[in-house]
Amino acid sequence: MVCATLRHSIPKSIVYCQVREAKRSLLDHFFVEIGKYESKRLSSLLNEDPAIMERRSALAKRLELYRSAQAEIDS
């Protein structure tokens, strides 16, 4: 009974791992492709409020400043 259970579960586990890896790879590729779009095109795709888009870009700049400051402090 144990051998039969293993015979049935091992191929299912292998396929599950392959599907999970393929999903991760496709999502990574999708995020890279979406990230290449310019901000105006991206906001039109998202149907996002321009104020939210400005706030996000300001926060991204602030985050970059914090990261550079942290790198400067660490060195």
Side-chain angles (χ1 to χ4, degrees):
M1 186 172 196
V2 172
C3 288
T5 302
L6 285 174
R7 254 185 259 131
H8 294 297
S9 65
I10 289 176
K12 290 177 185 178
S13 299
I14 292 171
V15 170
Y16 170 76
C17 290
Q18 290 173 337
V19 168
R20 187 181 62 196
E21 181 63 27
K23 178 182 173 184
R24 188 195 58 76
S25 175
L26 286 172
L27 282 174
D28 288 345
H29 177 72
F30 175 71
F31 290 143
V32 167
E33 289 299 314
I34 291 294
K36 289 180 184 177
Y37 291 147
E38 58 194 36
S39 63
K40 289 183 180 181
R41 186 170 178 198
L42 186 58
S43 71
S44 71
L45 284 173
L46 296 174
N47 293 327
E48 189 173 45
D49 184 27
I52 294 174
M53 187 75 168
E54 281 183 34
R55 177 146 168 81
R56 185 168 7 120
S57 66
L59 289 174
K61 288 178 185 176
R62 187 184 301 174
L63 178 63
E64 186 58 37
L65 286 173
Y66 287 153
R67 286 183 177 161
S68 64
Q70 181 66 41
E72 188 68 30
I73 289 170
D74 289 342
S75 66

